[in-house]
Amino acid sequence: MDKAANSILYLDGVNVSFDGFKALNALSLIIEPGELRAVIGPNGAGKTTMMDVITGKTRPDTGDVLFAETRDLTRLDEAEIAQLGIGRKFQKPSVFEKLTVAENLALALAGNRRVREALFWRLSTREKARIDELLGIVRLGAQRHMPAARLSHGQKQWLEIGMLLAQDPKLLLVDEPVAGMTDAETETTATLLRSIAGERSVVVVEHDMNFVRELAVKVTVLHEGSVLAEGSLDHVSADHRVIEVYLGR
Amino acid sequence: MTGRVWIAVATALLAFWLMLGRGMAADLTAEIGRLDTSSFTEKEKAIAAIAATGHARVAAVLTALSDNKLLIRKADRLAVIGEGKGTLRIENATTGEALGEAAETDLDKIAINNKIRRQLKTILGGLTLFSDDPAVRLKAANDIFRTRDLSSLEPLRNALAKEQDPPVKQVMAEALAALVLVSDAPEAEKLAAVLTVKARGDQDAISLLASIAQGSDAVARSAAETLRGLEWTRSLWAAVQNAVYGLSLGSVLLLAAIGLAITFGVMRVINMAHGEMVMIGAYVTFLVQDVLRNSAPFLLDQSLFIAIPLAFLITALIGMAIERGIIRFLYGRPLETLLATWGLSLILQQGVRSLFGPTNREVSTPSWMSGSIELGAISLTANRLAIIVFALLVFAGLLLLLRHTRFGLEMRAVTQNRPMANAMGIHTARIDAFTFGLGSGIAGIAGVALSQIDNVSPNLGQSYIIDSFMVVVFGGVGNLWGTLVAAFTLGIANKFLEPFAGAVLGKILVLVFIILFIQKRPRGLFALKGRAVEA
Amino acid sequence: MITRWLLNKTDRGVLIMLAVILLLGFMVPALHLLTSPDSPVHVPAYAMALIGKYLCYAMLALSIDLIWGYCGILSLGHGAFFALGGYAMGMYLMRQIGSRGVYGHAELPDFMVFLNWTELPWYWYGFGWFGFALLMVLFVPGLLAFLFGFFAFRARVSGVHFSIITQALTFALMLAFFRNDMGFGGNNGLTDFKDILGFNLQAGGTRAALFGATCLGLAASLLICLAITRSRVGAVMTAIRDAESRTRFLGYRVEAFKLFAFTVSACIAGAAGALYVPQVGIINPSEFAPANSIEAVIWTAIGGRGTLFGPILGAVLVNFAKSWFTSALPDLWLFALGGLFLAVTLFLPNGLAGLFGRWTSARRRELPAAQPAAAE
């Protein structure tokens, strides 16, 4: 367990294969508490599979996945992992379209997730205040009673980030948060993610190099299911193997 | 039994009696007269005496006696044989000469009891041992094997000596061995008889051996040992029989499910009208036979070879029409597709019911598919066997189609990654229509096959739909091998459970098994893995 | 307070439906009992029984709506829960016959005497007591749904797979109940009931009371469904319906919520079956027929799933049409039913309620001032 010391997320030697295709190949990755990390890589590098493994959607064939030094994530299901404090934002915005913006946030609020409590649950004053606060952070105050289906693409991305924050997670996994956003929105998102880090750990998977540059954090490059390079963006973009992977061979 | 045969039998019997040298034919009329008594013991003696006369009329008289048709005319105490009720046509028992009619009240019945009935049966059985018809002789020998009446011993020995037909001779030898075993023959002869009975090896042989296996003498020990061996062989054959029946059921399931596996696998579409495609295929067979019977009866034996392509064509066209007209609008809404196709199945069922009526339609089986094949101790009807072969042929054909044609390649591409296939320029819409047509067409030819073993009625399809879905769920979506293995597994499991649990409980157990099975493997036996599947 | 909460949180359709049900529950028995048979407003016994039957079906449709319309689970085996509730009630009614059966046995129902049974099977114990029978009406379907749902949801069987397996469930139960040695009357089921709680089942008063009870049962089910769908559980159910894995990643145990909804739904279906049996006077294994369950789904679809009043409307309308067709044009009924399935799925995905909703929102759009929030 010492190897995992002082980490919020610890992956070691993780292998996943689908019908002979190795989606993850001895992947190892350590995220420290409060860290903001960008993960980049070409299509099929295993970014989404990595997220699936961390959140319990896919079980690794072999390898260790530890959360907060001790919790073995390979033995838990999605709901248990989420309750531990890992939030995930999907690549395609995934919000509850028929529910209003405020209801979406209320569902995501940290708290007891059992059926019995949910049956007799009322929003407390503190929870209402928290929803108002979140609506302010993701700038959806004016849309609070609107069904989520009617939000624009960018607004849905923001709502999902808001839901992630409402969960009060220790670790956020964010998959392509700025896809479909305008430049101004992208910039605000980068600021938002930077402000979240510190208190929480954030892993951002991204294609958009400008956005990664804007985040100005440590970057991990994935290729064919394992880590190709790690370091600052300038450092990894100088690596000839990374150039080869991105510019073709 | 016609009169001619009886006469032939009686003649043979006469010859046999003459040969024995007991030849002097006693006065038949006198012996028959002795039946006119109330003592059953006297009657038994009289019957034995009648048989001993070897007269040509013996068989006729004794048959009449066992059928309660041998009567005594009150007026002159003459034995007559009467036919009819109330007023009977009578004939002289000894000569067979017609005597006109007589009222029932003018005749006395000759009462017989069960003991006499058995005696008559044995004697008549002995008589039939000399029939001209080998089948009759075979049956007589088998009867002796079962009844083991020692009075048949002598006639059987003589019949065996004369017998020319090997299979009949074999059974006669077995029957003789059976009689030897229950007689007081010497031990060596009995031990040899045990071996003969062992060679027979069926249920009758087992019950015979079981009846003599008590005791500690050499014969009993030998019988007990043989019995153990026979019972083991028998349970082995029972298992084989179950397996073969299971394969037969499995091939039916395979035929019904394989088209479903294609539409469900490729398009994720539950087609509840699939069963109706099977039903339509069966009706196509009926129509083809109907037309042939009236216009080209000489082709009737080949009707299935016409019906198979025709059924495929018709159901495939209907399937494509369904896809283009309904299902296409419901992609991405699987539950609605399920309901819409269910509605369609109701319409198709009622349509067929209106056209052809609600009752079963007669579909004939070609002569080359009727009859049965003996395989060791089990027999399998030819049509079941033909369906097993046919199902495997269809499966193989489908595999070849998917592996080695452009259409198959495109279809597999669409199964594995629809958006990517679309992006590569595959006309997914056209593939969908053809796929649906293919699935429906296979259902149609399944219908041709099922018309041979099931009732052709508008409800034909409904009885298969749930079972075939179970096969697809169990086998795993998108893999034909899974469907094959699942169909045969479920078929065999059903047949092996039936003897212990009964058909209904067997079905329920299979369902429970499937529910528990998908706990372990939610995607079935042979499932595609990977991210694309979850999309 | 409760009324204010209702008014606050409920759409008008449900309130109107509730009022109509309660009014029916009062008016129909009153018109049956208090008016003379020649009166133009008299409701004859057969009509009351017919409407009562429709209302039981409405309860079944409502229970399907709770899981399909709100949680996205399409059960094609809800007829099984309906039938199980019906059998539980039928067993009570059987025991009430006592020694008045054809064979006059004090303890055993006729069919058991006929099968040469000498004593009551253990699972018939207690059904002589009404309270126990009522408990079983909810408990047996609920338990089956719980066990079945537990395994199915845990294995993440969803979508059409779940639908097909529920079909197989009701099919298996049908086969089982057809067997004589199950002890439920085999082919013929349970029938020839005499009285309930000591009241003659043929009497006008008893029938009127049963009708009233049906209306109350339906109203209560409606309120239960309303409470569930308006609670946070309802929000989670909707969330599961629209984005199941998102709900999981928020930390909700999707299986637990599905299981809760499925079990409650099965209990409502069971209660509907229990109200149905004394009114139609028979329960037999054909109630388990897979086709019945699918037909019930179409009532929900026609009325409009995802609304609570839609399924009730749909069940009554479709069954009224069925009664009319099967007497007037029996050959055409299956065409009409099949056509309904196609029409609803292709053209009316939200059913009549959706049609009604489109019509009202079209009217609202003419008055933009009425809904400022809608402006985008």
Side-chain angles (χ1 to χ4, degrees):
Chain A
M1 290 292 146
D2 347 323
K3 295 179 295 177
N6 195 29
S7 70
I8 187 77
L9 183 68
Y10 175 84
L11 275 72
D12 188 31
V14 176
N15 284 295
V16 174
S17 60
F18 299 120
D19 287 333
F21 167 71
K22 289 205 93 130
L24 292 185
N25 187 6
L27 175 72
S28 299
L29 184 75
I30 297 177
I31 308 288
E32 287 163 17
E35 185 183 354
L36 171 59
R37 174 77 64 94
V39 174
I40 61 173
N43 267 329
K47 293 171 305 209
T48 305
T49 308
M50 180 190 80
M51 303 273 241
D52 286 348
V53 166
I54 297 169
T55 51
K57 192 175 179 195
T58 302
R59 295 256 175 274
D61 302 330
T62 55
D64 296 328
V65 184
L66 298 177
F67 176 69
E69 302 182 14
T70 53
R71 301 301 300 264
D72 183 358
L73 296 183
T74 60
R75 294 171 180 280
L76 304 175
D77 69 9
E78 295 101 311
E80 285 165 332
I81 290 172
Q83 285 173 24
L84 274 182
I86 297 181
R88 176 177 184 179
K89 198 201 92 54
F90 288 86
Q91 187 176 331
K92 217 174 96 202
S94 157
V95 295
F96 305 122
E97 309 241 323
K98 295 283 166 60
L99 302 176
T100 67
V101 170
E103 281 172 326
N104 265 285
L105 289 172
L107 272 186
L109 274 184
N112 200 313
R113 257 56 167 150
R114 297 172 64 91
V115 177
R116 198 166 354 127
E117 277 78 7
L119 207 50
F120 303 104
W121 176 83
R122 292 267 171 285
L123 273 181
S124 68
T125 331
R126 229 185 59 222
E127 285 169 324
K128 279 181 189 149
R130 176 72 179 142
I131 289 176
D132 288 338
E133 187 190 343
L134 288 165
L135 284 170
I137 293 175
V138 297
R139 303 177 181 190
L140 290 170
Q143 288 84 9
R144 68 180 303 155
H145 292 304
M146 193 184 280
R150 283 164 57 188
L151 297 177
S152 74
H153 190 80
Q155 285 174 320
K156 281 182 190 169
Q157 298 270 43
W158 278 68
L159 173 58
E160 205 179 352
I161 294 173
M163 288 164 72
L164 224 57
L165 292 175
Q167 270 181 273
D168 196 19
K170 298 188 187 73
L171 171 67
L172 282 82
L173 305 173
V174 188
D175 203 348
E176 301 197 14
V178 294
M181 283 190 179
T182 63
D183 286 351
E185 282 172 335
T186 302
E187 204 172 307
T188 338
T189 308
T191 318
L192 176 63
L193 287 177
R194 270 202 308 269
S195 72
I196 294 169
E199 193 182 334
R200 313 165 199 279
S201 311
V202 183
V203 175
V204 183
V205 167
E206 199 34 88
H207 265 311
D208 185 337
M209 283 301 164
N210 290 330
F211 178 68
V212 175
R213 194 170 297 282
E214 210 156 321
L215 287 176
V217 292
K218 189 172 174 185
V219 175
T220 298
V221 185
L222 287 191
H223 178 56
E224 289 178 351
S226 47
V227 175
L228 188 66
E230 215 166 61
S232 72
L233 186 60
D234 290 335
H235 171 80
V236 299
S237 38
D239 190 317
H240 69 277
R241 287 175 308 170
V242 176
I243 297 170
E244 204 171 282
V245 164
Y246 267 92
L247 299 179
R249 49 207 82 169
Chain B
M1 190 73 47
T2 63
R4 267 234 318 264
V5 172
W6 278 118
I7 292 166
V9 169
T11 317
L13 191 77
L14 186 62
F16 146 59
W17 240 261
L18 286 174
M19 189 184 66
L20 277 176
R22 293 188 188 171
M24 291 302 291
D27 186 3
L28 183 63
T29 316
E31 299 298 351
I32 292 174
R34 285 172 58 194
L35 285 170
D36 188 7
T37 166
S38 57
S39 157
F40 286 118
T41 327
E42 285 304 312
K43 282 180 189 168
E44 278 171 46
K45 285 181 189 158
I47 289 165
I50 292 168
T53 60
H55 194 280
R57 291 282 298 169
V58 168
V61 170
L62 293 185
T63 310
L65 180 58
S66 84
D67 293 347
N68 289 326
K69 284 175 184 163
L70 189 66
L71 308 159
I72 301 291
R73 191 155 70 186
K74 283 179 183 167
D76 52 5
R77 308 309 294 169
L78 176 71
V80 297
I81 295 173
E83 283 288 343
K85 270 207 178 300
T87 310
L88 291 83
R89 275 179 296 104
I90 57 170
E91 59 178 40
N92 187 316
T94 324
T95 61
E97 172 201 358
L99 296 173
E101 293 187 337
E104 209 165 0
T105 45
D106 294 337
L107 302 164
D108 278 333
K109 282 195 177 124
I110 300 175
I112 54 174
N113 61 9
N114 278 342
K115 195 175 170 204
I116 292 181
R117 235 172 245 122
R118 268 198 303 279
Q119 184 195 12
L120 285 170
K121 199 176 162 206
T122 311
I123 293 174
L124 287 171
L127 290 175
T128 51
L129 279 172
F130 299 94
S131 162
D132 276 352
D133 184 351
V136 174
R137 296 201 301 274
L138 192 70
K139 184 178 178 305
N142 270 321
D143 284 344
I144 293 174
F145 191 96
R146 280 183 207 112
T147 54
R148 296 192 282 283
D149 188 327
L150 280 174
S151 66
S152 309
L153 189 60
E154 280 311 307
L156 185 62
R157 265 191 220 281
N158 289 300
L160 181 59
K162 284 181 58 200
E163 186 56 58
Q164 299 296 321
D165 196 1
V168 181
K169 199 170 177 129
Q170 170 72 25
V171 177
M172 282 183 172
E174 286 160 7
L176 190 62
L179 292 184
V180 166
L181 282 175
V182 295
S183 71
D184 45 9
E187 192 166 273
E189 205 178 321
K190 279 191 172 184
L191 285 173
V194 168
L195 292 181
T196 314
V197 172
K198 178 189 175 184
R200 182 179 168 111
D202 66 351
Q203 185 60 50
D204 292 327
I206 287 175
S207 54
L208 167 61
L209 290 174
S211 71
I212 59 163
Q214 267 75 44
S216 56
D217 59 342
V219 176
R221 279 203 310 277
S222 161
E225 192 178 316
T226 313
L227 191 62
R228 273 196 296 281
L230 278 184
E231 273 174 348
W232 192 80
T233 326
R234 212 181 132 66
S235 58
L236 202 70
W237 276 113
V240 171
Q241 169 119 23
N242 277 335
V244 173
Y245 283 174
L247 283 182
S248 164
L249 177 64
S251 63
V252 169
L253 288 177
L254 178 65
L255 275 174
I258 195 164
L260 207 59
I262 292 173
T263 44
F264 192 34
V266 176
M267 300 156 74
R268 297 292 183 272
V269 157
I270 286 264
N271 179 16
M272 293 295 272
H274 185 81
E276 276 55 48
M277 296 294 132
V278 176
M279 182 262 289
I280 289 172
Y283 272 92
V284 168
T285 317
F286 163 71
L287 279 179
V288 165
Q289 290 193 347
D290 207 40
V291 169
L292 288 182
R293 198 170 288 122
N294 294 326
S295 56
F298 55 92
L299 276 176
L300 205 54
D301 236 18
Q302 277 73 47
S303 60
L304 296 189
F305 296 106
I306 303 167
I308 287 171
L310 201 62
F312 181 85
L313 208 66
I314 291 175
T315 48
L317 285 175
I318 296 176
M320 279 159 76
I322 293 172
E323 201 277 337
R324 286 289 91 187
I326 296 166
I327 291 174
R328 160 164 86 105
F329 302 107
L330 296 170
Y331 281 129
R333 292 157 62 196
L335 299 180
E336 270 96 337
T337 315
L338 193 160
L339 294 178
T341 49
W342 171 261
L344 196 70
S345 84
L346 291 182
I347 293 175
L348 289 173
Q349 262 178 52
Q350 185 61 33
V352 169
R353 198 173 286 127
S354 306
L355 280 173
F356 296 96
T359 49
N360 294 344
R361 285 301 182 151
E362 191 74 36
V363 171
S364 63
T365 304
S367 57
W368 52 271
M369 262 177 76
S370 39
S372 62
I373 292 154
E374 299 289 332
L375 195 82
I378 58 173
S379 80
L380 187 68
T381 52
N383 55 359
R384 292 264 170 192
L385 207 63
I387 285 176
I388 296 181
V389 174
F390 182 64
L392 292 174
L393 282 179
V394 169
F395 180 80
L398 202 58
L399 271 190
L400 288 178
L401 179 76
L402 294 186
R403 287 275 157 82
H404 298 295
T405 63
R406 175 85 199 160
F407 168 64
L409 182 68
E410 295 189 350
M411 212 177 98
R412 281 183 292 145
V414 174
T415 313
Q416 279 161 25
N417 196 332
R418 177 175 290 269
M420 184 56 87
N422 213 347
M424 285 172 57
I426 295 174
H427 293 283
T428 47
R430 216 180 56 200
I431 293 291
D432 284 342
F434 280 138
T435 307
F436 210 83
L438 179 65
S440 304
I442 290 174
I445 54 180
V448 178
L450 292 184
S451 73
Q452 295 300 311
I453 53 166
D454 206 340
N455 297 326
V456 178
S457 77
N459 303 326
L460 171 71
Q462 283 209 307
S463 38
Y464 290 98
I465 191 81
I466 291 181
D467 282 339
S468 21
F469 272 117
M470 287 292 115
V471 168
V472 175
V473 169
F474 181 50
V477 176
N479 188 321
L480 287 183
W481 286 103
T483 311
L484 178 82
V485 173
F488 284 119
T489 311
L490 292 186
I492 291 172
N494 249 321
K495 286 297 166 189
F496 270 92
L497 283 173
E498 254 171 42
F500 307 108
V504 172
L505 212 58
K507 256 198 152 68
I508 296 170
L509 285 176
V510 167
L511 172 74
V512 171
F513 165 72
I514 290 179
I515 290 178
L516 292 178
F517 174 80
I518 54 181
Q519 297 292 306
K520 279 272 156 228
R521 307 199 54 161
R523 293 182 187 284
L525 277 174
F526 294 81
L528 293 173
K529 281 205 283 182
R531 282 196 314 178
V533 177
E534 316 210 341
Chain C
M1 152 107 195
I2 287 171
T3 40
R4 223 188 60 203
W5 172 72
L6 275 177
L7 285 172
N8 243 351
K9 290 235 180 183
T10 312
D11 51 307
R12 250 181 324 175
V14 176
L15 282 185
I16 294 171
M17 187 52 78
L18 205 57
V20 168
I21 293 166
L22 291 175
L23 195 68
L24 268 180
F26 175 73
M27 289 299 290
V28 170
L31 288 177
H32 174 62
L33 292 176
L34 303 178
T35 57
S36 80
D38 329 311
S39 156
V41 291
H42 179 72
V43 177
Y46 77 88
M48 190 167 68
L50 204 63
I51 303 172
K53 202 171 98 174
Y54 295 167
L55 294 179
C56 294
Y57 288 149
M59 250 170 104
L60 176 59
L62 185 65
S63 74
I64 291 172
D65 185 42
L66 182 67
I67 51 162
W68 185 34
Y70 286 91
C71 205
I73 306 167
L74 177 55
S75 160
L76 294 182
H78 250 50
F81 304 125
F82 182 83
L84 284 175
Y87 264 98
M89 178 55 83
M91 283 161 85
Y92 163 75
L93 295 172
M94 253 359 228
R95 301 284 280 122
Q96 292 309 295
I97 297 174
S99 58
R100 287 169 293 173
V102 178
Y103 295 106
H105 196 289
E107 180 88 341
L108 297 185
D110 276 350
F111 70 87
M112 291 188 193
V113 181
F114 185 74
L115 291 173
N116 291 324
W117 290 18
T118 49
E119 56 184 304
L120 207 61
W122 60 268
Y123 46 83
W124 275 73
Y125 293 162
F127 277 94
W129 186 47
F130 188 67
F132 180 80
L134 278 193
L135 204 67
M136 288 298 122
V137 159
L138 300 176
F139 181 75
V140 173
L143 182 72
L144 177 67
F146 184 85
L147 290 176
F148 184 82
F150 178 81
F151 285 113
F153 296 138
R154 203 183 65 141
R156 306 225 174 143
V157 179
S158 60
V160 286
H161 278 86
F162 185 81
S163 309
I164 290 302
I165 291 186
T166 50
Q167 274 272 281
L169 170 77
T170 189
F171 184 63
L173 281 170
M174 178 176 78
L175 293 178
F177 274 74
F178 264 123
R179 288 164 62 99
N180 277 328
D181 50 11
M182 277 285 285
F184 297 108
N187 216 350
N188 302 321
L190 310 176
T191 188
D192 291 330
F193 308 132
K194 304 284 189 233
D195 48 31
I196 183 168
L197 290 170
F199 298 101
N200 182 357
L201 270 173
Q202 302 308 319
T206 318
R207 301 199 138 268
L210 279 171
F211 184 89
T214 306
C215 291
L216 283 179
L218 181 57
S221 310
L222 191 57
L223 285 173
I224 290 171
C225 290
L226 188 66
I228 291 174
T229 55
R230 297 290 152 193
S231 76
R232 188 170 188 173
V233 172
V236 176
M237 280 161 60
T238 314
I240 292 170
R241 180 192 68 190
D242 293 342
E244 178 166 334
S245 62
R246 168 84 272 179
T247 317
R248 249 181 237 287
F249 288 121
L250 281 185
Y252 288 99
R253 281 207 160 279
V254 166
E255 331 41 283
F257 284 85
K258 282 182 171 177
L259 192 55
F260 169 77
F262 192 56
T263 308
V264 171
S265 167
C267 290
I268 295 176
L275 287 163
Y276 172 85
V277 167
Q279 295 188 78
V280 297
I282 183 168
I283 174 85
N284 63 31
S286 65
E287 294 293 337
F288 284 104
N292 280 15
S293 294
I294 304 189
E295 211 180 306
V297 166
I298 208 63
W299 307 334
T300 310
I302 298 249
R305 63 203 153 99
T307 69
L308 292 174
F309 65 94
I312 298 176
L313 201 67
V316 173
L317 286 180
V318 174
N319 281 294
F320 180 76
K322 182 178 187 173
S323 300
W324 183 80
F325 261 105
T326 42
S327 66
L329 302 161
D331 285 346
L332 291 185
W333 167 240
L334 281 182
F335 285 127
L337 186 64
L340 266 182
F341 272 91
L342 287 175
V344 166
T345 46
L346 287 174
F347 308 116
L348 263 185
N350 294 317
L352 292 173
L355 202 64
F356 180 70
R358 235 185 295 168
W359 175 68
T360 47
S361 65
R363 268 192 39 186
R364 265 184 221 161
R365 220 164 289 142
E366 288 166 19
L367 308 162
Q371 236 199 351
E376 210 174 331

